[in-house]
Amino acid sequence: MKVLGIRRGLKYSPNLAGNDAAIFTAVMDELRAEGHEVSTIREEEMLAQDYGAYDRVVTMARSMATLSTLMDELKEREDVQEKFFNSVRGAVVCMNKSLVALQMLMSDIPQPAFRIGQDKKIIFDATNQKGKTGLRFPLWLKNSEGTATMSVDTLFCQTKKEYMEARKAYQEMGVSTWLVQDHVVGDLIKFYGVEGTGFFQWRYASKGHSKFGLEKINGPEAGYKFDAGQVQEYAEKLARALEVPIYGGDAVIDEEGNIWLIDFNDFPSFSSCRERAAKAIAERVVRS
């Protein structure tokens, strides 16, 4: 089988470039060890590539502009779209926090109350408070126009003043679409999985490397009991809906053991479980 691997650009691996490169290399090495013919390119080379020559395409690309252009080019080429792991569409959706929140809502996956904003107003309110935006502090403000590459892409706002200042900062950055998400108090966990393979792992967020240090806001873990299998069930359901079998994300466990998914990403670095993840990813890619 001929496999093409697409490396993630350094810009899209803030403080995690080494880890992202390591899982990519591990997956490519695993595929080679299984006897497959493997080639690799940088994501900057994606649009000039002839994908018809490959049986599978394993991509870690995160450029919204490049992936959106490629998605448009492949609209009439379902045979080529099916070669991608993760799907191009799924990768694009995962970079838009608002679209992920809407998909979780449609899939009946528990998440904090949220609102979607565009320019200067709320355009979708999922707080169950009719006629009101339902803003409750503290809350999170998230950029919905691309993967997080700077700390300002995800902001914790404890007061209305902080929220308005954050909104102003987004306006100055040219961010027109954003997500407002309630803050849930509890244990913050990170999870990783490969849909359909049985591979799933979670850890407390404080036990690993942090992109921007936001995990400390939830404070030390209390060790609330919860059903890890239920987290996996929610994650796999979302992975299938988004066509993102190689996934990672974040969830909060409250004091009653309730699970709240707060983030979902395509192809994370799997730094705490790289060897097992690489084998599972290779299995999923080859099996199709």
Side-chain angles (χ1 to χ4, degrees):
M1 184 176 291
K2 293 186 67 175
V3 180
L4 176 67
I6 304 176
R7 298 178 181 277
R8 181 169 295 159
L10 292 178
K11 175 183 178 181
Y12 305 105
S13 298
N15 303 318
L16 291 172
N19 288 338
D20 282 348
I23 185 60
F24 179 84
T25 299
V27 172
M28 297 301 107
D29 286 348
E30 184 68 28
L31 288 166
R32 289 189 181 99
E34 293 176 6
H36 303 290
E37 182 182 338
V38 178
S39 302
T40 64
I41 61 172
R42 296 175 292 110
E43 68 174 283
E44 293 84 355
E45 303 172 274
M46 286 183 72
L47 296 181
Q49 191 65 41
D50 174 15
Y51 296 105
Y54 299 94
D55 301 299
R56 301 285 188 273
V57 181
V58 182
T59 176
M60 290 188 74
R62 284 272 180 86
S63 167
M64 176 71 86
T66 301
L67 287 169
S68 295
T69 299
L70 183 60
M71 185 169 62
D72 288 339
E73 291 181 356
L74 296 179
K75 278 183 178 178
E76 307 302 322
R77 293 293 309 277
E78 186 174 342
D79 59 320
V80 176
Q81 292 181 52
E82 293 176 348
K83 297 178 180 183
F84 279 80
F85 294 85
N86 289 313
S87 74
V88 176
R89 169 191 168 273
V92 170
V93 171
C94 283
M95 286 187 283
N96 186 317
K97 301 303 181 185
S98 296
L99 293 181
V100 173
L102 288 172
Q103 183 61 63
M104 283 199 281
L105 183 66
M106 290 187 290
S107 300
D108 294 321
I109 294 172
Q111 64 179 314
F114 70 93
R115 312 119 198 105
I116 298 171
Q118 195 166 58
D119 296 325
K120 295 184 178 181
K121 62 181 180 180
I122 301 292
I123 62 171
F124 185 87
D125 187 355
T127 61
N128 298 319
Q129 294 188 18
K130 295 181 180 180
K132 298 182 180 180
T133 58
L135 295 178
R136 294 185 291 272
F137 296 93
L139 53 75
W140 294 87
L141 181 66
K142 299 182 178 182
N143 181 356
S144 284
E145 298 182 351
T147 188
T149 58
M150 304 179 292
S151 58
V152 73
D153 286 321
T154 303
L155 295 169
F156 182 61
C157 305
Q158 300 187 70
T159 65
K160 184 175 181 179
K161 180 181 178 181
E162 290 181 1
Y163 169 69
M164 296 310 295
E165 290 175 349
R167 285 274 306 278
K168 183 179 179 181
Y170 274 20
Q171 187 176 359
E172 292 173 349
M173 290 167 58
V175 175
S176 61
T177 307
W178 32 272
L179 178 74
V180 182
Q181 189 179 62
D182 281 1
H183 175 65
V184 177
V185 177
D187 292 345
L188 179 62
I189 68 168
K190 290 186 174 293
F191 58 83
Y192 311 89
V194 183
E195 181 270 331
T197 67
F199 173 76
F200 182 83
Q201 180 167 311
W202 70 273
R203 65 172 174 81
Y204 287 117
S206 65
K207 305 303 181 183
H209 183 74
S210 170
K211 275 188 180 181
F212 305 118
L214 296 174
E215 291 83 1
K216 63 184 179 183
I217 290 172
N218 279 69
E221 296 88 9
Y224 298 132
K225 293 183 179 180
F226 71 100
D227 184 353
Q230 185 64 73
V231 180
Q232 182 180 9
E233 184 177 325
Y234 290 144
E236 302 257 312
K237 185 177 184 180
L238 188 55
R240 289 189 292 271
L242 295 177
E243 301 171 8
V244 177
I246 306 166
Y247 66 83
D250 300 79
V252 175
I253 313 301
D254 68 21
E255 62 182 353
E256 296 179 354
N258 297 311
I259 300 161
W260 305 90
L261 265 66
I262 60 171
D263 201 10
F264 191 84
N265 302 295
D266 69 293
F267 219 132
S269 63
F270 294 96
S271 57
S272 62
C273 50
R274 185 177 301 130
E275 184 176 342
R276 290 176 55 221
K279 291 182 180 299
I281 293 169
E283 174 192 333
R284 184 65 173 81
V285 168
V286 172
R287 188 186 61 185
S288 184

